Amino acid sequence: MSQVAPLDHALVVADLERQVAHWLAASRTFRDAEEFASLAAWKSVERETGAPLRKQLHQAVEELIALGEATTALIAKARNDRALVDQAKAAVQRFRRRYVQVDTTLDFLGDAVNSRTSPLLCAALTTLDRLAVASMAPVLQRANKPVPRVLVYQDKGTGASILRAGVRLWAPGTIMPVAAVKIVRHNLYRPTSLFHETGHQVAHLTGWVPSMRASINDALADDRQLQAMWTPWASEIAADVYAFLLTGYASVAALYDVVGDSETILRWPIGDPHPIGWLRTALGCAFSTLCFGPSGPWVQLLRAMQAHHPASAADDSVQPLLARSLAAMPKIAAACLAAPVPALQNRPMTDVLDPQRVSPKALAQLEASAAAALWTSPHWRTTEGIRIVALAGLREAEQPTTASLWIDRARTWLTTELKAA
């Protein structure tokens, strides 16, 4: 119990009243969704995504306000009962902390929605929302799992990320009702990383990561050091496999552009769930060789990486692991592609996502059959959107002198809906 003089008691209570009044008034402004994202941005988000988001946010805000009002009532009682002062102090601190948690939640989601800063960007992100859902639907429907809605947002940096649907947010009791996928500016029109991130969502819902880990472990049974190196990377490898199955070699070239920094590509940070960039790229090239054959741009990419970033430049302790990993790469790649998926009755992911659909030959056939309409037709965007991403990424990687052309074409089809409107 607080032992305070009557005058001090009155001052303490008055200060608590002042504090809670400020935080409660600030909390009530959260009832207006435009406090953290523009009305135009909210309207740009499809109803199936925006409605559950706003419902969750409304619930978090109303619970915050209710806590503030209960704190106010407790302070009023403490004015006449000094025995309640300590409870009132604790309640104010609890309310302040909850405010910060809700503010963090609203700020994150508001920034994500508000990233649709122009009609062109809004159109591109809306198309990516739909592609993200389409990328998960075949697998999750086969597994009898609900397909989450997706909010794609553009942000700074070089790599993508995901806040999965179903995870707990910063505010207590709030659950992310949709998946939020960050895509960065340089890959906005070559969005293979989008499918790496939806691969994380699918892997979580289907129980794929533990079996991926076991498959890699079995493939490296004769080398305990490599086992210890590779198995902690199973989650990121599963996501890389998913992106590869959907977009083929385009995902490998795009990945190398992200991890190919000379200062980090050979580095092995302890605890990092991502494979060493050098090995991650080599694994993608091995996927391509295994699925598409021993000749192709992936062969040149692997050679170029080894020329620019020789394994001899790595730390002395890592060099032998790189060499042994490279020698084992064909069996590591085969193990990853064959890893059983529990929710698919332990069949591999390739049973649903056939990599031959995104082979260079298959993509050339798509390009020839659709001709110029591929980049403007709503029909092709709806039925073959993911393979169009794969084709544009493949052509950009194969023909660097015309990279701008392929990015422009991708930009055109991603925003066709806007132009039609």
Side-chain angles (χ1 to χ4, degrees), residues 22-63:
H22 167 74
W23 294 110
L24 185 53
S27 299
R28 286 175 175 143
T29 67
F30 289 158
R31 281 175 165 155
D32 183 357
E34 289 185 68
E35 282 285 326
F36 44 92
S38 71
L39 180 60
W42 277 114
K43 286 183 176 179
S44 75
V45 179
E46 292 186 292
R47 178 175 176 80
E48 295 84 352
T49 302
L53 265 180
R54 292 185 70 152
K55 181 180 179 181
Q56 184 68 261
L57 297 183
H58 173 77
Q59 177 185 328
V61 169
E62 292 305 316
E63 289 176 354

Side-chain angles (χ1 to χ4, degrees), residues 10 16 39 91 140 145 154 186 210 213 222 232 295 322 359 399:
L16 293 176
L39 180 60
L140 295 180
K145 304 284 185 181
Q154 190 263 323
H186 76 95
R213 185 178 298 113
D222 59 347
S295 62
L322 296 179
S359 69
Q399 304 167 17

Side-chain angles (χ1 to χ4, degrees), residues 407-419:
I407 287 180
D408 286 344
R409 286 184 174 180
R411 190 168 181 256
T412 296
W413 81 265
L414 278 172
T415 58
T416 294
E417 185 174 276
L418 169 72
K419 294 174 182 176

Side-chain angles (χ1 to χ4, degrees), residues 222-235:
D222 59 347
D223 193 324
R224 292 292 180 87
Q225 276 190 305
L226 291 190
Q227 277 183 332
M229 183 187 214
W230 279 83
T231 53
W233 297 334
S235 175

Side-chain angles (χ1 to χ4, degrees), residues 2-12 82:
S2 293
Q3 300 295 324
V4 294
L7 179 59
D8 291 340
H9 170 75
L11 288 172
V12 168
R82 280 188 281 178

Side-chain angles (χ1 to χ4, degrees), residues 183-376:
I183 196 158
V184 295
R185 172 63 64 182
H186 76 95
N187 271 339
L188 180 62
Y189 300 117
R190 185 186 57 174
T192 57
S193 58
L194 178 66
F195 309 119
H196 172 96
E197 302 309 331
T198 59
H200 278 302
Q201 181 76 62
V202 169
H204 172 72
L205 293 174
T206 59
W208 193 24
V209 173
S211 65
M212 178 67 72
R213 185 178 298 113
S215 189
I216 294 170
N217 192 67
D218 290 345
L220 297 173
D222 59 347
D223 193 324
R224 292 292 180 87
Q225 276 190 305
L226 291 190
Q227 277 183 332
M229 183 187 214
W230 279 83
T231 53
W233 297 334
S235 175
E236 293 298 331
I237 289 172
D240 281 349
V241 170
Y242 203 79
F244 173 79
L245 294 179
L246 286 167
T247 57
Y249 175 67
S251 70
V252 182
L255 170 66
Y256 178 60
D257 285 344
V258 173
V259 304
D261 187 297
S262 60
E263 293 185 3
T264 59
I265 190 169
L266 290 163
R267 189 180 299 167
W268 183 15
I270 301 301
D272 189 342
H274 298 86
I276 295 171
W278 197 90
L279 291 177
R280 197 176 173 190
T281 304
L283 180 60
C285 293
F287 292 153
S288 299
T289 297
L290 192 61
C291 294
F292 308 144
S295 62
W298 45 92
V299 177
Q300 285 72 38
L301 176 64
L302 182 60
R303 288 174 180 167
M305 180 187 73
Q306 291 175 301
H308 291 155
H309 312 288
S312 59
D315 185 90
D316 290 346
S317 63
V318 176
Q319 288 179 28
L321 296 173
L322 296 179
R324 299 209 307 273
S325 291
L326 196 61
M329 203 61 75
K331 66 180 180 182
I332 296 172
C336 294
L337 292 171
V341 184
L344 298 177
Q345 291 75 51
N346 286 320
R347 300 297 300 165
M349 197 65 77
T350 52
D351 267 21
V352 181
L353 304 176
D354 181 2
Q356 294 309 315
R357 293 193 73 249
V358 289
S359 69
K361 180 180 179 181
L363 294 176
Q365 291 171 344
L366 171 66
E367 186 177 28
S369 63
L374 189 65
W375 309 102
T376 58

